[in-house]
Amino acid sequence: MTHEPIALRATGITKSFGPVRALRGVELELRSGEVTALMGENGAGKSTLLKILNGDFRPDDGVLSIDGVPTVFGDPADSRAAGLRVIAQEPEIIAAVSVAENIFVGSLGSVAYNRKALLRRTRDELKRWGFDRTIRAESLGSELSPAQRQIVEIMRAVVSKPRIICFDEPTSSLGDDEVTLLFALIRQLQAEGIAVAYVSHRMGEIFKLADRITVLRDGSFVGTQLVAETNHDELVRMMVGRDLSQFFHREPAPLGKTVLELRNVGNQYVDGIDLTVRAGEVVGIAGLVGAGRSELMKTIAGDYPIASGEIVVDDRVWRIRQPADSIRAGIGFAPEERKAEALLLQRSVRDNAALVVLRTLSRWIFVSSRAERALAKTYIDRLRIRTPSAEQLVGNLSGGNQQKVVLARWLATAPKVLLLDEPTRGIDVGAKSEIYAIIDELAHQGVAVIVVSSELPEVLGVSDRIYVMAAGRISGELTRSEASEERILALAMDEDVAA
Ligand SMILES: Nc1ncnc2c1ncn2[C@@H]1O[C@H](COP(=O)(O)OP(=O)(O)OP(=O)(O)O)[C@@H](O)[C@H]1O
Ligand SMILES: [Mg+2]
């Protein structure tokens, strides 16, 4: 395995954005038929390195060689011509055209194409790579869930038959099922002799998939290890520069009265939802992608009005028809698609962190107090948000650091009810355990917390009680002591089995 030919070698790669040194002297080797993981904290420089490989940026210094030949990529077309494809952290999907056209965009060329043939070809490719049950070739870009968008982005790269393929956090929006399919796809790429680079914050994935691991810290190259010769703790030390405890142990808070209650709530997305959360309780919601977990959160938050049933907060029935209503009821909501829904990319980190955003249908209203600002600042420090200054535009932060800014804001608000949809998606190992600790503190302050997560160990670790959803309904409820990965999965598949 160690003697596979080196398809790509990067040496001494250096790149600055104004005063920010994103990369300095970074080394990377990608070998044919091997998976090389790229790890590091949020802001370490992983996406920047991949963008250089994609020809988006030219390095200030350093050499890139393909098959031993030094190369300069002037633009992404050069990178593609060299057989390289980079799957970006944020998928770019054209809303108005079909999945088929989205996948083959760029490879259609100027040749007039036959729609039927394109759809057939797309179905074949989806089938070949195992995603024929996940996406339909004729769906429009605008109809796709985050997971489906990610898969379209991956298919787009795969169908162009690259020799080197780089994934930037491909699983952050995928559920367990799709992750399994993606891993099978990567194994197939590997068997075909393709060199794979893989960025992820999830240790479990790295140990399953990778042959070697390259670690970056603050833009510098820390080292490359064979997976077989390293372990979790060593990698954490390499990434963070200190030891971290491996597992978070939640200290359940004393439970108060029921703060949030849903009685037979239904709309076009969810059906017959009965759910309660008590003060000081952390309730997890598990389920497969498409089970309706995010839809349920958006229903409680007023994005999707309810058609039947009642939402009760503090013994009072609230008519929640829009986000402003849920905020008045004392509900805070950090949505899954934080970047699109919650961040002001053209404002500074300071502004974003200080604002309590009242989400209304038509506009943004900002309220902020000095106390909130101070609290937000504390969380920014605790979550280790990597930014050159509080004045930096949020749009220039790395993906994970943007997530941290939104979370810091919500965690600092301490509403009566806090809804967190995939709170650690894209967040590095150090900040993850800090987020669990903050959730724990909020519960001890009497906040009723709901956490939606696709990562089972996370749901199990953080929740006092777990609801499992399938096909828009609650298919089961488990206490902390009853819950296990197997029982959650069995309930999550409930409707599939019945169907
Ligand atoms: N266009 C830009 N302008 C200014 N700074 C930038 C720009 N792009 C990236 N940076 C900075 O470069 C550094 C590295 O960012 P990068 O996106 O490569 O991190 P990352 O390792 O991918 O992090 P994450 O895990 O959060 O995705 C960060 O400090 C980031 O703020
Ligand atoms: Mg990144």
Side-chain angles (χ1 to χ4, degrees):
M1 199 174 274
T2 327
H3 303 293
E4 298 298 337
I6 296 170
L8 176 143
R9 172 180 275 143
T11 50
I13 301 290
T14 298
K15 172 75 190 169
S16 297
F17 298 101
V20 180
R21 296 256 266 165
L23 296 172
R24 43 199 141 177
V26 166
E27 316 282 317
L28 179 71
E29 282 178 6
L30 304 181
R31 293 162 197 256
S32 303
E34 274 196 21
V35 176
T36 303
L38 193 55
M39 296 195 82
E41 289 185 286
N42 296 131
K46 305 174 299 290
S47 295
T48 304
L49 180 57
L50 294 196
K51 284 177 186 163
I52 286 173
L53 300 186
N54 195 42
D56 295 325
F57 304 134
R58 275 167 93 146
D60 304 332
D61 203 359
V63 181
L64 220 91
S65 308
I66 304 284
D67 297 328
V69 183
T71 330
V72 175
F73 294 156
D75 59 28
D78 289 346
S79 162
R80 265 162 222 184
L84 225 138
R85 288 300 289 246
V86 178
I87 296 158
Q89 199 165 358
E90 308 286 338
E92 280 181 23
I93 302 296
I94 308 163
V97 307
S98 69
V99 162
E101 285 152 321
N102 264 295
I103 290 176
F104 286 97
V105 67
S107 15
L108 291 172
S110 54
V111 189
Y113 67 90
N114 169 329
R115 188 175 147 86
K116 251 194 183 151
L118 182 71
L119 286 173
R120 199 174 323 117
R121 169 101 194 268
T122 305
R123 280 186 213 112
D124 289 348
E125 292 283 356
L126 285 171
K127 188 153 192 184
R128 163 159 188 233
W129 299 101
F131 289 110
D132 48 325
R133 293 183 48 150
T134 319
I135 324 189
R136 286 154 32 85
E138 46 283 273
S139 298
L140 284 180
S142 57
E143 299 165 349
L144 302 176
S145 68
Q148 292 171 323
R149 294 162 63 88
Q150 185 66 49
I151 288 159
V152 168
E153 183 87 14
I154 291 165
M155 290 300 300
R156 189 187 285 159
V158 167
V159 300
S160 71
K161 303 206 183 343
R163 299 179 39 241
I164 303 164
I165 185 161
C166 307
F167 295 88
D168 198 348
E169 294 189 46
T171 56
S172 62
S173 50
L174 302 184
D176 275 348
D177 282 24
E178 291 102 1
V179 171
T180 308
L181 294 172
L182 174 66
F183 284 12
L185 175 145
I186 291 175
R187 296 258 175 260
Q188 208 173 325
L189 294 172
Q190 230 181 326
E192 292 174 18
I194 292 162
V196 178
Y198 188 90
V199 175
S200 176
H201 292 290
R202 300 185 183 172
M203 287 279 182
E205 295 184 353
I206 301 295
F207 281 99
K208 254 188 230 163
L209 263 188
D211 299 292
R212 52 187 92 224
I213 304 172
T214 293
V215 177
L216 304 183
R217 183 164 76 230
D218 285 342
S220 301
F221 173 74
V222 179
T224 297
Q225 297 279 9
L226 284 169
V227 168
E229 291 171 6
T230 187
N231 58 49
H232 174 280
D233 290 355
E234 183 185 35
L235 286 174
V236 170
R237 263 197 309 279
M238 288 171 79
M239 285 192 278
V240 185
R242 63 198 156 101
D243 282 309
L244 280 181
S245 64
Q246 179 164 0
F247 294 110
F248 171 76
H249 289 290
R250 195 172 121 68
E251 213 35 74
L255 296 187
K257 66 185 196 68
T258 297
V259 177
L260 175 73
E261 182 175 2
L262 270 62
R263 298 181 185 146
N264 195 27
V265 164
N267 57 19
Q268 75 257 50
Y269 301 106
V270 295
D271 189 23
I273 303 289
D274 289 315
L275 165 160
T276 56
V277 191
R278 295 170 64 179
E281 191 177 30
V282 180
V283 165
I285 302 207
L288 304 178
V289 165
R293 297 165 301 165
S294 294
E295 287 76 8
L296 176 59
M297 292 305 103
K298 289 185 172 178
T299 300
I300 301 173
D303 288 328
Y304 301 145
I306 65 175
S308 58
E310 288 177 336
I311 298 180
V312 180
V313 180
D314 266 350
D315 301 322
R316 186 182 146 189
V317 177
W318 290 79
R319 288 165 67 88
I320 295 178
R321 292 149 145 196
Q322 54 181 29
D325 300 333
S326 79
I327 289 161
R328 259 196 301 277
I331 299 170
F333 175 39
E336 180 182 19
E337 303 218 287
R338 284 185 276 278
K339 186 167 170 187
E341 298 184 31
L343 275 175
L344 306 173
L345 297 177
Q346 296 308 317
R347 301 281 289 262
S348 69
V349 170
R350 185 209 300 275
D351 287 349
N352 271 280
L355 297 175
V356 174
V357 177
L358 299 184
R359 302 157 60 254
T360 68
L361 288 182
S362 53
R363 64 208 164 104
W364 307 77
I365 300 171
F366 310 120
V367 183
S368 112
S369 69
R370 191 189 299 180
E372 276 163 357
R373 226 169 14 238
L375 203 52
K377 164 96 175 60
T378 310
Y379 284 137
I380 284 185
D381 293 342
R382 281 183 68 178
L383 297 180
R384 293 158 59 87
I385 297 177
R386 190 169 186 265
T387 174
S389 85
E391 305 311 321
Q392 174 72 274
L393 297 185
V394 162
N396 284 341
L397 295 187
S398 75
N401 281 308
Q402 294 186 4
Q403 309 270 45
K404 291 181 186 178
V405 172
V406 189
L407 279 170
R409 188 169 63 200
W410 282 115
L411 295 172
T413 326
K416 284 184 201 156
V417 178
L418 182 59
L419 314 175
L420 300 170
D421 195 353
E422 303 286 357
T424 66
R425 172 203 251 189
I427 284 183
D428 63 48
V429 58
K432 251 185 205 175
S433 53
E434 198 59 41
I435 285 169
Y436 301 146
I438 294 171
I439 290 175
D440 193 50
E441 287 171 22
L442 289 171
H444 277 90
Q445 289 165 25
V447 178
V449 185
I450 297 186
V451 176
V452 171
S453 173
S454 295
E455 285 188 74
L456 289 181
E458 177 165 297
V459 185
L460 288 166
V462 80
S463 317
D464 298 316
R465 198 153 53 83
I466 297 170
Y467 290 104
V468 185
M469 290 186 71
R473 302 174 137 271
I474 289 178
S475 57
E477 183 185 340
L478 300 166
T479 63
R480 190 180 180 84
S481 53
E482 290 166 348
S484 65
E485 299 207 8
E486 294 71 28
R487 293 188 74 167
I488 291 177
L489 279 174
L491 287 168
M493 315 262 238
D494 219 21
E495 295 289 327
D496 278 2
V497 176

